[in-house]
Amino acid sequence: VTVYPKNSIAKGTVKLVKQGKQGSTTTPLAGVKFTLNKKNDTDDDYTAVKTDVATDTDGKITLDNLAKGRYYLQETGYTDGNDKGYILNTTGKFYFDIDENGKAVKVDDTIDGKVDDASFTIDSTHATLTVTNYKPDIAKTVTKRDGTANTHEADYGVGDAVPYTLTIKVPENITSLKTFTVTDTTVKAQLIQNKGSVKISGKNNAGGDVTLAKSAYTITVAPDANNSVMTVAFTPSALTGVAGGEITIAYTATVQSGAVVAGNGNVNTAKIVYSRKTNLTDETGGNKPYEITDKGVVYTFGLNIHKTAKGGTMNGTGLKGVTFDLYKKVDTETLNGNSKYPFCGQEYAAISGDDAVKLGLTTNSAENWIKIKTLTTGENGYVSAAGLPSGTYKLVETKTVNGYNLLSKPVDAKLNLTYAAAWSTTKTYDDNGNQIKAETNTTNYTRDTAPVADPSAAIEIVNRAGFTLPVTGGFSTLLFSGIGLLLVLAGVG
């Protein structure tokens, strides 16, 4: 028997690095499962040599003892608890060759299903394969009345058009998705989106401006029994220009008369819905799209007055028919082109500075004040005004009940409120990989740094009993004059 030694072929070790990319942020992905397939020596078929191999906590897999030949990796899913909403490419094949030196080499051949883009790179020097999964993001912000932006919250009045902005980070593989839709949901008794206000713009991955064709999206605003839902449905294949970039959706929603006063505010929810995997044609069952949710809140406030009597025939009871004029200092509002201030969906001309001083609203004639409305107390002395934004308000009493004196100076309406601790940022995921970015907590209110337990508590205003002077030329004047004349005549007599 003659034995001929065979050539020794080096076997290689390859490391797979799995990362997720959201915007410009990359993170290692744990628990992503792969199958490793090797081309047969005798035909063009492939055989699975490793199945359900999952990345570790650093997003890595080590593939040992790989003989010379052609291989491909294919994603199959996530292990339990590791689905973080990154889009899987379960149809793509990540090909590589192992050469006679045990090194990973790029495959240049054209092969059906081969992934040949930035989501798959090979560093043969360090024997590392890097596979990237992408994920969009959404951020909802609301602009305050003074024009400054805030992450989540602002305060407005009923009738105001609240400016919102949705900022969408677009995944680099956007054109391979079936679904890419943004929704914004409000309670329609509180807020309703204005379809005509929607403006959509884009930026490419280098930050340059991109004009999106009107055919690239469809906008609808549809109320149901309880909610108002704005939907912007994008056509992913038409979003090539913004792949890896950003889409901005700016719009307004008008505060309705049913808006919640104080409390936890009027919360509305923005959501991006996107394909779970690339190249899907059916998105039912286990292929149901992912969701990422962010929220915003608008606060409105209410003024409650309780007018009572002290002394006189109505001592301790509520006074009906007392009239107040409500004024607001316009320090956050900006004049429109017609020299009027917008407030709660209407426009108001400011009273003169001298009049503001005479009314006792201020000692500074340079301040601007507007008269909002007139309030008249009803039964038991109560009157209220709801749906007002935070600010400096004062009440000027203009009429009271006979036998009681008018107030000598304005009353602070106590609506200069601030709100805090309304949100907690989270990174929670449900069992389907859907993410809720923020949750609402109990809102804390302060006034002049002092805690306020109930922002809507009634303001107690007291009118004191007085006397009524005779009116010049009135009947009472004649009566007193007649009595005086009779006394004089009696004295003469």
PDB file of all heavy atoms in Angstrom, residues 146-182:
ATOM      1  N   ASP A 146     -43.739  81.600  23.366  1.00  0.00           N
ATOM      2  CA  ASP A 146     -42.734  82.638  23.128  1.00  0.00           C
ATOM      3  C   ASP A 146     -41.794  82.273  21.984  1.00  0.00           C
ATOM      4  O   ASP A 146     -40.812  82.973  21.722  1.00  0.00           O
ATOM      5  CB  ASP A 146     -41.939  82.924  24.399  1.00  0.00           C
ATOM      6  CG  ASP A 146     -41.178  81.700  24.897  1.00  0.00           C
ATOM      7  OD1 ASP A 146     -41.239  80.645  24.233  1.00  0.00           O
ATOM      8  OD2 ASP A 146     -40.521  81.794  25.951  1.00  0.00           O
ATOM      9  N   GLY A 147     -42.085  81.149  21.310  1.00  0.00           N
ATOM     10  CA  GLY A 147     -41.293  80.765  20.145  1.00  0.00           C
ATOM     11  C   GLY A 147     -40.172  79.801  20.420  1.00  0.00           C
ATOM     12  O   GLY A 147     -39.536  79.294  19.491  1.00  0.00           O
ATOM     13  N   THR A 148     -39.887  79.496  21.691  1.00  0.00           N
ATOM     14  CA  THR A 148     -38.818  78.562  22.012  1.00  0.00           C
ATOM     15  C   THR A 148     -39.352  77.129  21.988  1.00  0.00           C
ATOM     16  O   THR A 148     -40.507  76.882  22.308  1.00  0.00           O
ATOM     17  CB  THR A 148     -38.214  78.863  23.392  1.00  0.00           C
ATOM     18  OG1 THR A 148     -39.256  78.779  24.375  1.00  0.00           O
ATOM     19  CG2 THR A 148     -37.602  80.240  23.417  1.00  0.00           C
ATOM     20  N   ALA A 149     -38.494  76.223  21.612  1.00  0.00           N
ATOM     21  CA  ALA A 149     -38.903  74.817  21.530  1.00  0.00           C
ATOM     22  C   ALA A 149     -38.697  74.139  22.872  1.00  0.00           C
ATOM     23  O   ALA A 149     -37.812  74.505  23.644  1.00  0.00           O
ATOM     24  CB  ALA A 149     -38.112  74.101  20.444  1.00  0.00           C
ATOM     25  N   ASN A 150     -39.517  73.131  23.123  1.00  0.00           N
ATOM     26  CA  ASN A 150     -39.400  72.353  24.352  1.00  0.00           C
ATOM     27  C   ASN A 150     -39.525  70.880  23.975  1.00  0.00           C
ATOM     28  O   ASN A 150     -40.206  70.542  23.015  1.00  0.00           O
ATOM     29  CB  ASN A 150     -40.493  72.750  25.338  1.00  0.00           C
ATOM     30  CG  ASN A 150     -40.289  72.116  26.697  1.00  0.00           C
ATOM     31  OD1 ASN A 150     -40.611  70.958  26.895  1.00  0.00           O
ATOM     32  ND2 ASN A 150     -39.755  72.868  27.625  1.00  0.00           N
ATOM     33  N   THR A 151     -38.878  70.012  24.708  1.00  0.00           N
ATOM     34  CA  THR A 151     -38.871  68.612  24.335  1.00  0.00           C
ATOM     35  C   THR A 151     -40.274  68.034  24.263  1.00  0.00           C
ATOM     36  O   THR A 151     -40.633  67.368  23.293  1.00  0.00           O
ATOM     37  CB  THR A 151     -38.037  67.793  25.335  1.00  0.00           C
ATOM     38  OG1 THR A 151     -36.728  68.339  25.395  1.00  0.00           O
ATOM     39  CG2 THR A 151     -37.970  66.342  24.899  1.00  0.00           C
ATOM     40  N   HIS A 152     -41.080  68.294  25.286  1.00  0.00           N
ATOM     41  CA  HIS A 152     -42.368  67.602  25.338  1.00  0.00           C
ATOM     42  C   HIS A 152     -43.585  68.482  25.599  1.00  0.00           C
ATOM     43  O   HIS A 152     -44.674  68.126  25.186  1.00  0.00           O
ATOM     44  CB  HIS A 152     -42.335  66.527  26.435  1.00  0.00           C
ATOM     45  CG  HIS A 152     -41.568  65.307  26.060  1.00  0.00           C
ATOM     46  ND1 HIS A 152     -41.922  64.495  25.018  1.00  0.00           N
ATOM     47  CD2 HIS A 152     -40.459  64.756  26.607  1.00  0.00           C
ATOM     48  CE1 HIS A 152     -41.065  63.489  24.929  1.00  0.00           C
ATOM     49  NE2 HIS A 152     -40.171  63.637  25.880  1.00  0.00           N
ATOM     50  N   GLU A 153     -43.451  69.596  26.335  1.00  0.00           N
ATOM     51  CA  GLU A 153     -44.661  70.246  26.821  1.00  0.00           C
ATOM     52  C   GLU A 153     -44.667  71.754  26.620  1.00  0.00           C
ATOM     53  O   GLU A 153     -43.618  72.388  26.505  1.00  0.00           O
ATOM     54  CB  GLU A 153     -44.905  69.920  28.297  1.00  0.00           C
ATOM     55  CG  GLU A 153     -43.867  70.461  29.257  1.00  0.00           C
ATOM     56  CD  GLU A 153     -42.707  69.520  29.479  1.00  0.00           C
ATOM     57  OE1 GLU A 153     -42.756  68.385  29.012  1.00  0.00           O
ATOM     58  OE2 GLU A 153     -41.737  69.953  30.117  1.00  0.00           O
ATOM     59  N   ALA A 154     -45.887  72.304  26.558  1.00  0.00           N
ATOM     60  CA  ALA A 154     -46.100  73.749  26.480  1.00  0.00           C
ATOM     61  C   ALA A 154     -47.502  74.029  27.009  1.00  0.00           C
ATOM     62  O   ALA A 154     -48.262  73.099  27.288  1.00  0.00           O
ATOM     63  CB  ALA A 154     -45.946  74.251  25.048  1.00  0.00           C
ATOM     64  N   ASP A 155     -47.855  75.320  27.166  1.00  0.00           N
ATOM     65  CA  ASP A 155     -49.218  75.652  27.587  1.00  0.00           C
ATOM     66  C   ASP A 155     -49.840  76.609  26.572  1.00  0.00           C
ATOM     67  O   ASP A 155     -49.188  77.517  26.065  1.00  0.00           O
ATOM     68  CB  ASP A 155     -49.232  76.265  28.991  1.00  0.00           C
ATOM     69  CG  ASP A 155     -48.439  77.553  29.075  1.00  0.00           C
ATOM     70  OD1 ASP A 155     -47.215  77.483  29.310  1.00  0.00           O
ATOM     71  OD2 ASP A 155     -49.036  78.630  28.905  1.00  0.00           O
ATOM     72  N   TYR A 156     -51.100  76.374  26.279  1.00  0.00           N
ATOM     73  CA  TYR A 156     -51.861  77.176  25.317  1.00  0.00           C
ATOM     74  C   TYR A 156     -53.285  77.308  25.804  1.00  0.00           C
ATOM     75  O   TYR A 156     -53.703  76.632  26.748  1.00  0.00           O
ATOM     76  CB  TYR A 156     -51.841  76.536  23.929  1.00  0.00           C
ATOM     77  CG  TYR A 156     -50.548  76.783  23.165  1.00  0.00           C
ATOM     78  CD1 TYR A 156     -49.442  75.950  23.342  1.00  0.00           C
ATOM     79  CD2 TYR A 156     -50.442  77.852  22.290  1.00  0.00           C
ATOM     80  CE1 TYR A 156     -48.253  76.189  22.659  1.00  0.00           C
ATOM     81  CE2 TYR A 156     -49.262  78.097  21.600  1.00  0.00           C
ATOM     82  CZ  TYR A 156     -48.179  77.266  21.786  1.00  0.00           C
ATOM     83  OH  TYR A 156     -47.013  77.511  21.118  1.00  0.00           O
ATOM     84  N   GLY A 157     -54.058  78.165  25.128  1.00  0.00           N
ATOM     85  CA  GLY A 157     -55.454  78.365  25.473  1.00  0.00           C
ATOM     86  C   GLY A 157     -56.374  77.786  24.424  1.00  0.00           C
ATOM     87  O   GLY A 157     -55.955  77.477  23.292  1.00  0.00           O
ATOM     88  N   VAL A 158     -57.635  77.626  24.777  1.00  0.00           N
ATOM     89  CA  VAL A 158     -58.641  77.108  23.846  1.00  0.00           C
ATOM     90  C   VAL A 158     -58.719  78.040  22.634  1.00  0.00           C
ATOM     91  O   VAL A 158     -58.815  79.266  22.774  1.00  0.00           O
ATOM     92  CB  VAL A 158     -60.010  76.996  24.535  1.00  0.00           C
ATOM     93  CG1 VAL A 158     -61.107  76.707  23.519  1.00  0.00           C
ATOM     94  CG2 VAL A 158     -59.974  75.917  25.607  1.00  0.00           C
ATOM     95  N   GLY A 159     -58.667  77.448  21.445  1.00  0.00           N
ATOM     96  CA  GLY A 159     -58.680  78.222  20.211  1.00  0.00           C
ATOM     97  C   GLY A 159     -57.311  78.449  19.622  1.00  0.00           C
ATOM     98  O   GLY A 159     -57.185  78.810  18.446  1.00  0.00           O
ATOM     99  N   ASP A 160     -56.251  78.247  20.417  1.00  0.00           N
ATOM    100  CA  ASP A 160     -54.891  78.413  19.914  1.00  0.00           C
ATOM    101  C   ASP A 160     -54.513  77.263  18.985  1.00  0.00           C
ATOM    102  O   ASP A 160     -54.901  76.107  19.209  1.00  0.00           O
ATOM    103  CB  ASP A 160     -53.886  78.464  21.067  1.00  0.00           C
ATOM    104  CG  ASP A 160     -53.845  79.812  21.747  1.00  0.00           C
ATOM    105  OD1 ASP A 160     -54.172  80.811  21.086  1.00  0.00           O
ATOM    106  OD2 ASP A 160     -53.484  79.869  22.945  1.00  0.00           O
ATOM    107  N   ALA A 161     -53.714  77.566  17.961  1.00  0.00           N
ATOM    108  CA  ALA A 161     -53.138  76.545  17.086  1.00  0.00           C
ATOM    109  C   ALA A 161     -51.740  76.221  17.611  1.00  0.00           C
ATOM    110  O   ALA A 161     -50.828  77.056  17.548  1.00  0.00           O
ATOM    111  CB  ALA A 161     -53.072  77.045  15.650  1.00  0.00           C
ATOM    112  N   VAL A 162     -51.578  75.036  18.141  1.00  0.00           N
ATOM    113  CA  VAL A 162     -50.325  74.631  18.788  1.00  0.00           C
ATOM    114  C   VAL A 162     -49.357  74.102  17.733  1.00  0.00           C
ATOM    115  O   VAL A 162     -49.685  73.170  16.991  1.00  0.00           O
ATOM    116  CB  VAL A 162     -50.583  73.536  19.835  1.00  0.00           C
ATOM    117  CG1 VAL A 162     -49.293  73.155  20.538  1.00  0.00           C
ATOM    118  CG2 VAL A 162     -51.629  73.999  20.840  1.00  0.00           C
ATOM    119  N   PRO A 163     -48.136  74.664  17.620  1.00  0.00           N
ATOM    120  CA  PRO A 163     -47.181  74.188  16.613  1.00  0.00           C
ATOM    121  C   PRO A 163     -46.381  72.977  17.115  1.00  0.00           C
ATOM    122  O   PRO A 163     -45.699  73.047  18.133  1.00  0.00           O
ATOM    123  CB  PRO A 163     -46.264  75.392  16.380  1.00  0.00           C
ATOM    124  CG  PRO A 163     -46.559  76.373  17.453  1.00  0.00           C
ATOM    125  CD  PRO A 163     -47.658  75.863  18.308  1.00  0.00           C
ATOM    126  N   TYR A 164     -46.486  71.874  16.379  1.00  0.00           N
ATOM    127  CA  TYR A 164     -45.752  70.647  16.687  1.00  0.00           C
ATOM    128  C   TYR A 164     -44.731  70.362  15.594  1.00  0.00           C
ATOM    129  O   TYR A 164     -44.909  70.767  14.441  1.00  0.00           O
ATOM    130  CB  TYR A 164     -46.697  69.452  16.769  1.00  0.00           C
ATOM    131  CG  TYR A 164     -47.593  69.420  17.980  1.00  0.00           C
ATOM    132  CD1 TYR A 164     -48.919  69.839  17.897  1.00  0.00           C
ATOM    133  CD2 TYR A 164     -47.122  68.946  19.198  1.00  0.00           C
ATOM    134  CE1 TYR A 164     -49.752  69.795  19.000  1.00  0.00           C
ATOM    135  CE2 TYR A 164     -47.959  68.897  20.312  1.00  0.00           C
ATOM    136  CZ  TYR A 164     -49.268  69.324  20.195  1.00  0.00           C
ATOM    137  OH  TYR A 164     -50.084  69.280  21.291  1.00  0.00           O
ATOM    138  N   THR A 165     -43.699  69.605  15.962  1.00  0.00           N
ATOM    139  CA  THR A 165     -42.719  69.132  14.990  1.00  0.00           C
ATOM    140  C   THR A 165     -42.419  67.665  15.268  1.00  0.00           C
ATOM    141  O   THR A 165     -42.147  67.286  16.412  1.00  0.00           O
ATOM    142  CB  THR A 165     -41.402  69.935  15.071  1.00  0.00           C
ATOM    143  OG1 THR A 165     -41.689  71.318  14.844  1.00  0.00           O
ATOM    144  CG2 THR A 165     -40.417  69.462  14.018  1.00  0.00           C
ATOM    145  N   LEU A 166     -42.472  66.843  14.225  1.00  0.00           N
ATOM    146  CA  LEU A 166     -42.052  65.445  14.300  1.00  0.00           C
ATOM    147  C   LEU A 166     -40.764  65.306  13.491  1.00  0.00           C
ATOM    148  O   LEU A 166     -40.730  65.652  12.304  1.00  0.00           O
ATOM    149  CB  LEU A 166     -43.129  64.516  13.732  1.00  0.00           C
ATOM    150  CG  LEU A 166     -44.517  64.606  14.364  1.00  0.00           C
ATOM    151  CD1 LEU A 166     -45.470  63.649  13.661  1.00  0.00           C
ATOM    152  CD2 LEU A 166     -44.457  64.311  15.847  1.00  0.00           C
ATOM    153  N   THR A 167     -39.715  64.823  14.140  1.00  0.00           N
ATOM    154  CA  THR A 167     -38.429  64.636  13.465  1.00  0.00           C
ATOM    155  C   THR A 167     -38.180  63.142  13.312  1.00  0.00           C
ATOM    156  O   THR A 167     -38.121  62.411  14.312  1.00  0.00           O
ATOM    157  CB  THR A 167     -37.295  65.293  14.258  1.00  0.00           C
ATOM    158  OG1 THR A 167     -37.613  66.682  14.457  1.00  0.00           O
ATOM    159  CG2 THR A 167     -35.983  65.190  13.508  1.00  0.00           C
ATOM    160  N   ILE A 168     -38.033  62.684  12.061  1.00  0.00           N
ATOM    161  CA  ILE A 168     -37.909  61.262  11.750  1.00  0.00           C
ATOM    162  C   ILE A 168     -36.494  60.964  11.268  1.00  0.00           C
ATOM    163  O   ILE A 168     -36.025  61.560  10.292  1.00  0.00           O
ATOM    164  CB  ILE A 168     -38.908  60.839  10.640  1.00  0.00           C
ATOM    165  CG1 ILE A 168     -40.295  61.455  10.877  1.00  0.00           C
ATOM    166  CG2 ILE A 168     -38.948  59.325  10.523  1.00  0.00           C
ATOM    167  CD1 ILE A 168     -40.958  61.046  12.147  1.00  0.00           C
ATOM    168  N   LYS A 169     -35.794  60.068  11.956  1.00  0.00           N
ATOM    169  CA  LYS A 169     -34.518  59.555  11.466  1.00  0.00           C
ATOM    170  C   LYS A 169     -34.813  58.396  10.508  1.00  0.00           C
ATOM    171  O   LYS A 169     -35.443  57.407  10.888  1.00  0.00           O
ATOM    172  CB  LYS A 169     -33.644  59.059  12.619  1.00  0.00           C
ATOM    173  CG  LYS A 169     -33.296  60.124  13.652  1.00  0.00           C
ATOM    174  CD  LYS A 169     -32.376  61.186  13.087  1.00  0.00           C
ATOM    175  CE  LYS A 169     -31.938  62.164  14.161  1.00  0.00           C
ATOM    176  NZ  LYS A 169     -31.089  63.244  13.619  1.00  0.00           N
ATOM    177  N   VAL A 170     -34.372  58.532   9.269  1.00  0.00           N
ATOM    178  CA  VAL A 170     -34.712  57.571   8.219  1.00  0.00           C
ATOM    179  C   VAL A 170     -33.634  56.490   8.138  1.00  0.00           C
ATOM    180  O   VAL A 170     -32.443  56.815   8.064  1.00  0.00           O
ATOM    181  CB  VAL A 170     -34.842  58.281   6.857  1.00  0.00           C
ATOM    182  CG1 VAL A 170     -35.256  57.295   5.772  1.00  0.00           C
ATOM    183  CG2 VAL A 170     -35.851  59.423   6.949  1.00  0.00           C
ATOM    184  N   PRO A 171     -34.006  55.205   8.149  1.00  0.00           N
ATOM    185  CA  PRO A 171     -33.005  54.140   8.035  1.00  0.00           C
ATOM    186  C   PRO A 171     -32.378  54.126   6.638  1.00  0.00           C
ATOM    187  O   PRO A 171     -33.009  54.521   5.649  1.00  0.00           O
ATOM    188  CB  PRO A 171     -33.802  52.864   8.306  1.00  0.00           C
ATOM    189  CG  PRO A 171     -35.205  53.210   7.935  1.00  0.00           C
ATOM    190  CD  PRO A 171     -35.374  54.663   8.268  1.00  0.00           C
ATOM    191  N   GLU A 172     -31.129  53.661   6.549  1.00  0.00           N
ATOM    192  CA  GLU A 172     -30.416  53.664   5.276  1.00  0.00           C
ATOM    193  C   GLU A 172     -30.995  52.665   4.277  1.00  0.00           C
ATOM    194  O   GLU A 172     -30.800  52.809   3.071  1.00  0.00           O
ATOM    195  CB  GLU A 172     -28.927  53.392   5.517  1.00  0.00           C
ATOM    196  CG  GLU A 172     -28.261  54.521   6.303  1.00  0.00           C
ATOM    197  CD  GLU A 172     -26.796  54.264   6.550  1.00  0.00           C
ATOM    198  OE1 GLU A 172     -26.163  53.555   5.746  1.00  0.00           O
ATOM    199  OE2 GLU A 172     -26.258  54.779   7.550  1.00  0.00           O
ATOM    200  N   ASN A 173     -31.714  51.667   4.782  1.00  0.00           N
ATOM    201  CA  ASN A 173     -32.313  50.676   3.882  1.00  0.00           C
ATOM    202  C   ASN A 173     -33.791  50.943   3.650  1.00  0.00           C
ATOM    203  O   ASN A 173     -34.578  50.033   3.412  1.00  0.00           O
ATOM    204  CB  ASN A 173     -32.111  49.268   4.431  1.00  0.00           C
ATOM    205  CG  ASN A 173     -32.732  49.096   5.819  1.00  0.00           C
ATOM    206  OD1 ASN A 173     -33.126  50.075   6.464  1.00  0.00           O
ATOM    207  ND2 ASN A 173     -32.809  47.868   6.281  1.00  0.00           N
ATOM    208  N   ILE A 174     -34.186  52.224   3.690  1.00  0.00           N
ATOM    209  CA  ILE A 174     -35.591  52.610   3.612  1.00  0.00           C
ATOM    210  C   ILE A 174     -36.276  52.054   2.370  1.00  0.00           C
ATOM    211  O   ILE A 174     -37.440  51.644   2.410  1.00  0.00           O
ATOM    212  CB  ILE A 174     -35.734  54.157   3.671  1.00  0.00           C
ATOM    213  CG1 ILE A 174     -37.196  54.580   3.602  1.00  0.00           C
ATOM    214  CG2 ILE A 174     -34.931  54.831   2.585  1.00  0.00           C
ATOM    215  CD1 ILE A 174     -38.020  54.150   4.756  1.00  0.00           C
ATOM    216  N   THR A 175     -35.577  52.014   1.231  1.00  0.00           N
ATOM    217  CA  THR A 175     -36.237  51.613  -0.015  1.00  0.00           C
ATOM    218  C   THR A 175     -36.570  50.126  -0.057  1.00  0.00           C
ATOM    219  O   THR A 175     -37.314  49.688  -0.939  1.00  0.00           O
ATOM    220  CB  THR A 175     -35.359  51.964  -1.229  1.00  0.00           C
ATOM    221  OG1 THR A 175     -34.082  51.345  -1.090  1.00  0.00           O
ATOM    222  CG2 THR A 175     -35.179  53.480  -1.342  1.00  0.00           C
ATOM    223  N   SER A 176     -36.039  49.348   0.887  1.00  0.00           N
ATOM    224  CA  SER A 176     -36.351  47.911   0.912  1.00  0.00           C
ATOM    225  C   SER A 176     -37.502  47.593   1.864  1.00  0.00           C
ATOM    226  O   SER A 176     -37.813  46.420   2.093  1.00  0.00           O
ATOM    227  CB  SER A 176     -35.107  47.109   1.315  1.00  0.00           C
ATOM    228  OG  SER A 176     -34.713  47.424   2.637  1.00  0.00           O
ATOM    229  N   LEU A 177     -38.150  48.637   2.426  1.00  0.00           N
ATOM    230  CA  LEU A 177     -39.251  48.422   3.355  1.00  0.00           C
ATOM    231  C   LEU A 177     -40.591  48.511   2.633  1.00  0.00           C
ATOM    232  O   LEU A 177     -40.739  49.224   1.640  1.00  0.00           O
ATOM    233  CB  LEU A 177     -39.217  49.464   4.481  1.00  0.00           C
ATOM    234  CG  LEU A 177     -37.924  49.568   5.296  1.00  0.00           C
ATOM    235  CD1 LEU A 177     -38.124  50.535   6.457  1.00  0.00           C
ATOM    236  CD2 LEU A 177     -37.465  48.218   5.796  1.00  0.00           C
ATOM    237  N   LYS A 178     -41.556  47.812   3.164  1.00  0.00           N
ATOM    238  CA  LYS A 178     -42.919  47.871   2.628  1.00  0.00           C
ATOM    239  C   LYS A 178     -43.715  48.988   3.286  1.00  0.00           C
ATOM    240  O   LYS A 178     -44.504  49.684   2.632  1.00  0.00           O
ATOM    241  CB  LYS A 178     -43.625  46.528   2.850  1.00  0.00           C
ATOM    242  CG  LYS A 178     -45.104  46.499   2.413  1.00  0.00           C
ATOM    243  CD  LYS A 178     -45.712  45.126   2.645  1.00  0.00           C
ATOM    244  CE  LYS A 178     -47.210  45.123   2.378  1.00  0.00           C
ATOM    245  NZ  LYS A 178     -47.527  45.480   0.986  1.00  0.00           N
ATOM    246  N   THR A 179     -43.496  49.195   4.609  1.00  0.00           N
ATOM    247  CA  THR A 179     -44.283  50.166   5.372  1.00  0.00           C
ATOM    248  C   THR A 179     -43.388  51.192   6.038  1.00  0.00           C
ATOM    249  O   THR A 179     -42.381  50.843   6.665  1.00  0.00           O
ATOM    250  CB  THR A 179     -45.114  49.445   6.454  1.00  0.00           C
ATOM    251  OG1 THR A 179     -46.014  48.543   5.820  1.00  0.00           O
ATOM    252  CG2 THR A 179     -45.903  50.434   7.300  1.00  0.00           C
ATOM    253  N   PHE A 180     -43.764  52.462   5.905  1.00  0.00           N
ATOM    254  CA  PHE A 180     -43.084  53.550   6.614  1.00  0.00           C
ATOM    255  C   PHE A 180     -44.119  54.654   6.792  1.00  0.00           C
ATOM    256  O   PHE A 180     -44.338  55.485   5.908  1.00  0.00           O
ATOM    257  CB  PHE A 180     -41.868  54.039   5.835  1.00  0.00           C
ATOM    258  CG  PHE A 180     -40.900  54.837   6.662  1.00  0.00           C
ATOM    259  CD1 PHE A 180     -40.107  54.203   7.609  1.00  0.00           C
ATOM    260  CD2 PHE A 180     -40.760  56.205   6.506  1.00  0.00           C
ATOM    261  CE1 PHE A 180     -39.208  54.919   8.383  1.00  0.00           C
ATOM    262  CE2 PHE A 180     -39.870  56.933   7.272  1.00  0.00           C
ATOM    263  CZ  PHE A 180     -39.084  56.285   8.211  1.00  0.00           C
ATOM    264  N   THR A 181     -44.798  54.649   7.946  1.00  0.00           N
ATOM    265  CA  THR A 181     -45.951  55.518   8.179  1.00  0.00           C
ATOM    266  C   THR A 181     -45.815  56.221   9.524  1.00  0.00           C
ATOM    267  O   THR A 181     -45.385  55.613  10.511  1.00  0.00           O
ATOM    268  CB  THR A 181     -47.257  54.698   8.156  1.00  0.00           C
ATOM    269  OG1 THR A 181     -47.405  54.094   6.873  1.00  0.00           O
ATOM    270  CG2 THR A 181     -48.461  55.571   8.434  1.00  0.00           C
ATOM    271  N   VAL A 182     -46.211  57.495   9.562  1.00  0.00           N
ATOM    272  CA  VAL A 182     -46.210  58.285  10.799  1.00  0.00           C
ATOM    273  C   VAL A 182     -47.647  58.638  11.152  1.00  0.00           C
ATOM    274  O   VAL A 182     -48.415  59.078  10.286  1.00  0.00           O
ATOM    275  CB  VAL A 182     -45.379  59.566  10.634  1.00  0.00           C
ATOM    276  CG1 VAL A 182     -45.476  60.436  11.882  1.00  0.00           C
ATOM    277  CG2 VAL A 182     -43.922  59.223  10.337  1.00  0.00           C
TER     278      VAL A 182
END
